[in-house]
Amino acid sequence: MEELLDLRVLGPLQVLLNGREIPSGGPRQRAVLAMLLLSPDQVVSIDSLTEAVWQGCPPATSKTQIAICIASLRKNFKAAGCHDELITTTAPGYMLRSGRHRIDAREFKEHLARARQAAQRNDAAEAAELFKTALGMWRGPALDGIASHPVQARAAELEEQRLIGYEQHTALRLELGEHRTLIGELRTLVAQHPLREQARSHLMLAQYRSGRRAEAMETFRLGRRRSIDELGLEPGQALHDLHDAILRDDPALLAPPATARPAAASVVPAQLPADIVAFTGRRAELSALDTLLDEDAGAREGMPVGFLTGGAGVGKTALAIRWAHRSADRCADGQLYADMRGHERGGRSTGTCAVLDRFLRALGVPGDRVPESFDERVALYRTTLANRRVLIVLDNVQEFSQITPLLPGSGRSAVVVTGNDQLGELSETCAPVRLNLAPLSPDEATTLLVKIVGDTRVTDDPEATARLGQLCDRLPLTLRIVAAKLRAKPHWPVRHLVRRLEDPQQRLDELSHGDRDLRHRLRLSYQQLDETAARLYRSLGLLDLSEFTSAIAASVLKVCPVEAENVVERLVDAHLLHVARWHDTGNAVYRFQDLHRLYAQERACAKEGEHGKRLPEQRLCEDLSISADRLLSA
């Protein structure tokens, strides 16, 4: 008899066989197993597993130790009585072959899909039961106890799916007249997630239908105060409309019969992430993006697409989301959003075929009508969009091939793409509004700090505040990190944080707070480099020069100036260097941002060790027979 495993990630990691738990090893083995379970039947690269275990600081023996972890897991499964080849070696990494084994996350998603299909058929009772089954699979926070940033990032995606499923389940239960029984659990949910407006609106409606009109008003008031205090934003229009309807005792608020549900074709997707707290600046860029929705945009030669590019932490995603939110009312047929994960290595980029499936369902196509064939999905997607005005945000795109099938073939929809790569192919098929984002201005950096810190420390010491902005390279990401630290430490003056950041050995460590981590973002860009560009990047970071030309790069690489310029320009394209100006000799002068230089130095030390730290600079001086002060003019 075949022994089937029960593989659980919707709570603490568990592997069961006939109800008996199989040991999954120590923290390293558990992190590796979690990564494999999060991508069943897909190759997970050794690089991705290494990142999950050591999070940017792997030992030289990391590949060997990953292999030992895999061998240990295989041994545990076999000893417990599972003789399937569950984990296979498949270049460039390993794959968990699920076969008929049960994975709770996969079953959860399948039940969610069936529940949504039942809801589209107007079968509220069946849909509610399927949602209940799906949500009942959760035993606690996904992969609770595994302290790995990549694992927890993926676990957060599962948690978001759970919350969305719960909100959809709640809407059906309200429709079925369960408003009195829902009040208690909705209060708990709103207390845990006070900024989720859908949950708050459900609680208000349940309270109103239960004859608790005053409580519904108080629920709105508390939510509005929380939103203004924490985000600086009024609640969304839908919550305000519900508030006003309750004040009017609108008869439409009474529970409708389940048969009154709108048909699936009327579904208007609203997939945008929450708007960005304390967004600052970018007025010119917002105005440029507004042209995507001009009446004549569809008449231009090529599909109008906004493309936002720039270095790590410069705020590409924030700008895209802010513009999408403020433009949503100009796209009456909804908003679609996909994080393509192009910045992640090891085959973890979001599959375009899966995004098509999700987009089609969001646009009202029943699940049983979504084609299996990739080409047929593309054709149906473009047909569905042909007569609609939808706003589509494609975030973190690495290659043009990821998004080609997601671009509408015609019509009045707008598309915004973010990514580090130049995506030159966009100009061949689209009419891109291309924006290369720069750091904020000094005044904008100060304004952002004031908005988030929320007290007078920033304005009381303008000199320290200006220095704080400089140490953060005036990047929105790093400014938000230091602002969050100041807000969490109300007894810290700005100068204290400045002193901590002025130590170059500690600055990148300081610029980490919660799920924001500049070093992690820089590492993702660095990992995309070819070996020659990576070597040049490390070597240039060691030079005691603020600026340099391709001639200096040629001396480092021992190649001709033209070849060296090509390598330097690859670093510019990756946004790890930028062009400071043109030299009198007709050549570009390049410059590091300070934080990029610090990271380049870290990579050099990690790669070459302390013994070789001065070697590139010494070789330059020997080759050119000039002092470091005159290198730039050579």
Side-chain angles (χ1 to χ4, degrees):
M1 179 176 170
E2 184 181 6
E3 299 287 359
L4 299 182
L5 294 175
D6 187 359
L7 304 159
R8 299 182 177 184
V9 299
L10 302 181
L13 177 64
Q14 278 188 330
V15 181
L16 303 178
L17 183 66
N18 297 326
R20 178 172 54 86
E21 185 165 1
I22 298 175
S24 50
R28 292 178 184 175
Q29 287 95 330
R30 292 173 67 80
V32 168
L33 180 57
M35 290 292 288
L36 295 173
L37 283 172
L38 287 167
S39 300
D41 303 308
Q42 299 179 39
V43 178
V44 181
S45 72
I46 293 175
D47 285 344
S48 294
L49 297 175
T50 301
E51 176 66 19
V53 173
W54 289 283
Q55 303 183 73
C57 300
T61 60
S62 59
K63 290 185 179 180
T64 301
Q65 292 192 46
I66 292 294
I68 293 172
C69 290
I70 295 291
S72 176
L73 290 169
R74 289 169 172 163
K75 181 180 179 181
N76 288 346
F77 295 147
K78 186 174 181 180
C82 177
H83 299 291
D84 282 0
E85 191 179 9
L86 188 66
I87 302 175
T88 62
T89 303
T90 309
Y94 300 93
M95 179 190 298
L96 187 142
R97 297 188 181 276
S98 60
R100 294 177 55 205
H101 300 290
R102 177 178 179 265
I103 300 178
D104 60 354
R106 181 168 59 192
E107 291 189 6
F108 167 70
K109 293 175 185 178
E110 290 170 353
H111 277 82
L112 283 186
R114 290 171 55 199
R116 288 162 182 156
Q117 290 170 15
Q120 290 172 345
R121 296 194 303 268
N122 298 327
D123 192 340
E126 181 186 355
E129 191 61 31
L130 286 166
F131 274 121
K132 181 180 178 180
T133 300
L135 296 167
M137 295 178 183
W138 285 74
R139 300 169 291 110
L143 293 166
D144 192 22
I146 297 182
S148 165
H149 179 80
V151 171
Q152 287 306 314
R154 297 287 300 279
E157 295 175 7
L158 285 171
E159 174 68 14
E160 178 65 18
Q161 292 180 44
R162 183 187 73 83
L163 290 172
I164 292 172
Y166 182 83
E167 289 168 349
Q168 292 171 328
H169 186 212
T170 302
L172 289 168
R173 294 174 65 189
L174 285 169
E175 190 174 287
L176 293 168
E178 298 181 24
H179 38 271
R180 293 183 186 278
T181 59
L182 273 170
I183 290 177
E185 58 188 87
L186 280 172
R187 277 181 177 153
T188 301
L189 179 66
V190 168
Q192 293 171 343
H193 304 278
L195 298 178
R196 289 190 78 91
E197 294 188 1
Q198 186 68 72
R200 189 172 294 275
S201 70
H202 286 163
L203 176 57
M204 290 170 60
L205 189 56
Q207 289 169 327
Y208 178 76
R209 289 180 177 175
S210 300
R212 304 181 182 183
R213 187 170 182 267
E215 289 183 20
M217 292 294 93
E218 178 66 5
T219 297
F220 174 82
R221 186 187 69 79
L222 292 174
R224 179 175 183 270
R225 186 173 68 187
R226 189 73 175 260
S227 181
I228 291 173
D229 288 349
E230 294 193 16
L231 305 181
L233 296 172
E234 284 282 344
Q237 190 61 47
L239 208 59
H240 273 289
D241 289 346
L242 177 59
H243 171 265
D244 294 344
I246 291 173
L247 285 176
R248 298 193 311 271
D249 285 317
D250 189 336
L253 295 178
L254 298 177
T259 55
R261 281 181 55 79
S266 65
V267 171
V268 176
Q271 297 185 342
L272 295 177
D275 202 357
I276 305 302
V277 178
F279 186 91
T280 300
R282 308 301 191 197
R283 292 184 180 179
E285 291 86 351
L286 289 166
S287 296
L289 290 172
D290 284 342
T291 64
L292 297 174
L293 295 173
D294 289 347
E295 288 302 317
D296 64 342
R300 298 174 187 165
E301 184 176 352
M303 169 65 61
V305 175
F307 177 48
L308 311 181
T309 186
V314 79
K316 302 180 290 295
T317 297
L319 174 58
I321 292 173
R322 167 49 61 99
W323 179 79
H325 273 285
R326 84 170 199 171
S327 305
D329 60 348
R330 298 175 65 187
C331 293
D333 296 310
Q335 314 94 45
L336 299 172
Y337 173 87
D339 184 349
M340 306 304 292
R341 302 183 183 278
H343 55 270
E344 297 188 13
R345 301 189 78 198
R348 287 185 55 199
S349 62
T350 297
T352 305
C353 191
V355 174
L356 282 167
D357 177 83
R358 184 159 58 83
F359 279 5
L360 285 168
R361 293 171 190 267
L363 292 167
V365 177
D368 57 359
R369 289 184 53 204
V370 175
E372 290 294 327
S373 163
F374 179 82
D375 290 340
E376 289 177 354
R377 285 187 184 184
V378 174
L380 180 58
Y381 171 71
R382 289 176 174 162
T383 300
T384 304
L385 288 178
N387 296 313
R388 300 191 190 188
R389 190 172 178 87
V390 176
L391 195 160
I392 304 163
V393 180
L394 304 174
D395 201 11
N396 293 315
V397 173
Q398 181 62 33
E399 298 176 353
F400 185 66
S401 60
Q402 281 185 292
I403 62 169
T404 308
L406 301 174
L407 299 177
S410 59
R412 300 173 298 123
S413 295
V415 182
V416 177
V417 177
T418 76
N420 287 345
D421 194 84
Q422 295 301 308
L423 298 188
E425 302 96 325
L426 271 175
S427 300
E428 299 175 10
T429 57
C430 307
V433 175
R434 188 181 293 268
L435 301 174
N436 189 2
L437 303 189
L440 298 178
S441 70
D443 288 343
E444 289 171 341
T446 298
T447 300
L448 180 58
L449 292 169
V450 169
K451 286 182 178 179
I452 299 176
V453 175
D455 56 42
T456 61
R457 283 176 292 169
V458 172
T459 53
D460 286 348
D461 194 346
E463 181 179 343
T465 298
R467 178 60 179 155
L468 185 62
Q470 290 175 348
L471 292 168
C472 292
D473 280 349
R474 298 198 300 276
L475 297 173
L477 173 67
T478 51
L479 290 167
R480 289 177 182 278
I481 289 171
V482 297
K485 287 196 171 188
L486 287 172
R487 183 160 182 157
K489 300 285 187 181
H491 55 286
W492 279 12
V494 175
R495 286 185 180 274
H496 178 69
L497 185 52
V498 167
R499 284 193 295 271
R500 293 169 67 101
L501 286 169
E502 282 186 326
D503 180 355
Q505 302 300 319
Q506 299 298 323
R507 193 175 310 164
L508 290 177
D509 291 329
E510 290 288 342
L511 293 177
S512 174
H513 186 79
D515 60 352
R516 298 188 179 104
D517 186 346
L518 178 66
R519 183 186 277 110
H520 176 68
R521 306 285 183 92
L522 291 171
R523 180 165 62 249
L524 294 172
S525 297
Y526 172 80
Q527 288 173 336
Q528 301 297 328
L529 298 175
D530 60 84
E531 179 51 40
T532 302
R535 179 161 61 88
L536 179 62
Y537 177 70
R538 297 190 301 267
S539 298
L540 291 175
L542 295 175
L543 296 177
D544 189 20
L545 296 172
S546 60
E547 297 178 343
F548 39 82
T549 65
S550 57
I552 294 174
S555 295
V556 170
L557 294 175
K558 296 292 187 181
V559 297
C560 69
V562 172
E563 186 175 345
E565 184 179 47
N566 291 338
V567 179
V568 175
E569 288 294 330
R570 294 206 291 274
L571 295 178
V572 173
D573 290 345
H575 304 285
L576 293 171
L577 290 179
H578 69 273
V579 179
R581 64 183 188 280
W582 280 90
H583 195 265
D584 294 340
T585 60
N587 296 317
V589 177
Y590 303 96
R591 178 193 293 271
F592 273 115
Q593 288 178 282
D594 289 342
L595 297 175
H596 286 224
R597 177 191 293 278
L598 291 176
Y599 184 70
Q601 291 171 356
E602 276 193 4
R603 299 320 306 162
C605 292
K607 187 76 175 179
E608 298 168 0
E610 290 297 325
H611 177 71
K613 188 171 181 180
R614 297 288 294 176
L615 187 58
E617 187 172 341
Q618 292 171 349
R619 185 167 63 242
L620 275 174
C621 293
E622 292 169 0
D623 288 349
L624 301 178
S625 301
I626 54 177
S627 69
D629 292 337
R630 296 173 54 200
L631 284 174
L632 181 61
S633 62

